[in-house]
Amino acid sequence: MPEGIAQVASVVYNSLTECYGATCREVEALTGKTYDKIRIVGGGANAAYLNELTTKASGKTVCAGPTEGTAIGNLAAQMIAFRELEDIGDARACIGRSFPIQIYQ
């Protein structure tokens, strides 16, 4: 049994990352494709320890950020609709240039 908040957090984070790794393997088995990166957006992008554990559990590079994924996605969709961005590829490139992405390997 974990004792104290630090041990409880460790159990939670390790459990999450084991699930992430298993889910990656399941997605790859179902699609027949291999992915070398996991992209984490939103609040979880700020959890450096969780992102480091995710890299270890999945064997994949973690690209964390941007943290305001929902708002940025909404804005990108509107920019595509108003022809400020050409398509989803253009939106992704713009987001990649505009917001910091932390890489965990």
Side-chain angles (χ1 to χ4, degrees):
M1 282 302 278
E3 296 178 16
I5 191 70
Q7 287 184 2
V8 170
S10 179
V11 169
V12 170
Y13 275 25
N14 281 285
S15 177
L16 280 171
T17 59
E18 288 302 317
C19 287
Y20 294 165
T23 299
C24 287
R25 290 185 291 279
E26 185 177 348
V27 167
E28 289 178 340
L30 290 170
T31 63
K33 296 179 181 180
T34 300
Y35 300 92
D36 59 346
K37 295 178 185 169
I38 297 173
R39 298 190 180 270
I40 298 179
V41 299
N46 289 329
Y49 181 58
L50 180 62
N51 295 328
E52 290 171 13
L53 290 175
T54 299
T55 294
K56 291 177 185 171
S58 66
K60 303 190 182 304
T61 298
V62 170
C63 304
T67 57
E68 296 298 330
T70 301
I72 293 166
N74 187 328
L75 179 61
Q78 291 180 52
M79 291 177 76
I80 292 169
F82 285 100
R83 306 275 187 225
E84 296 295 324
L85 295 171
E86 185 175 326
D87 55 22
I88 190 68
D90 193 23
R92 287 179 178 150
C94 179
I95 292 166
R97 290 188 308 271
S98 302
F99 297 94
I101 307 295
Q102 181 68 41
I103 306 297
Y104 298 87
Q105 297 179 325

